[in-house]
Amino acid sequence: SPRARPPAEPTRPPDACTKHGKADPSGKAAPPDPAQVGRHAAMKMVLPGARPVIAPDPSLNRWHSAAVGQALWLSVNDPTATKRESLTFMGQAVSLTARRNGLSFNMGDGHTVHCAATTPWSPSVEPGSPSPTCGYTYQQAAPAGGYKVTAITSWDVTWSVLGHTGTVHIPKAAGELRQGGEFA
């Protein structure tokens, strides 16, 4: 005679989950993962972009262009290096501090210049002097329309939430400039 099977146990629904985490046995929602909250909040932070500034400005000479071999000074139009912000994410108060940790300039000719700091050019600079912090010299003439220079800022954003801290690295493409004075 066939053996009778015991009745199947009723299936239980999975643990109740909330937007913030699993419920504990008391029914209270467990706090969210601080690292997850901190990282996501850091990604929501609005970081300043910056338009590249190339000097001396080509409009200062009669040809309105930079000469091959001319020392150019690279900087950005937004000198902001630190930004602080507090926001609420997933119901948690998050403190954020962003520090710019460098700039990169894609020069449009296949080269990228990485700079820890920049020095703005001024008319009092001896003509042909290289930048003491961040500069570039083109080795060949620009194609029609000029070189498109893109500034990329790098940020380290430190988050603090629920007694935990961490850091997220965020690169941010900023403004573009067409070498020769035309803005893209």
Side-chain angles (χ1 to χ4, degrees):
S1 98
R3 212 165 175 199
R5 287 187 179 166
E9 284 192 38
T11 58
R12 293 181 356 168
D15 289 344
C17 290
T18 67
K19 184 176 175 182
H20 301 295
K22 293 186 177 186
D24 68 18
S26 70
K28 291 171 104 181
D33 175 19
Q36 180 183 13
V37 173
R39 283 192 305 268
H40 286 294
M43 298 304 251
K44 289 192 170 291
M45 188 175 193
V46 178
L47 297 170
R51 185 172 288 246
V53 176
I54 300 173
D57 191 306
S59 68
L60 295 177
N61 66 50
R62 63 181 169 171
W63 303 279
H64 299 284
S65 66
V68 171
Q70 177 184 3
L72 299 172
W73 291 41
L74 306 174
S75 61
V76 292
N77 68 342
D78 183 347
T80 302
T82 303
K83 182 177 180 185
R84 288 175 177 37
E85 188 175 312
S86 294
L87 57 88
T88 301
F89 186 77
M90 293 179 67
Q92 303 300 316
V94 183
S95 295
L96 301 163
T97 301
R99 287 186 176 81
R100 188 171 68 199
N101 67 5
L103 292 164
S104 295
F105 294 88
N106 179 327
M107 300 306 296
D109 65 350
H111 293 98
T112 300
V113 178
H114 303 284
C115 304
T118 64
T119 304
W121 178 85
S122 80
S124 65
V125 170
E126 179 73 29
S129 296
S131 168
T133 55
C134 186
Y136 188 71
T137 302
Y138 284 104
Q139 298 303 313
Q140 51 187 307
Y147 290 118
K148 183 172 80 172
V149 178
T150 305
I152 301 162
T153 54
S154 294
W155 295 88
D156 286 329
V157 181
T158 301
W159 52 264
S160 179
V161 62
L162 296 169
H164 297 270
T165 61
T167 301
V168 177
H169 180 76
I170 302 174
K172 180 176 177 70
E176 296 177 345
L177 169 74
R178 287 230 182 250
Q179 176 56 23
E182 290 178 37
F183 285 90

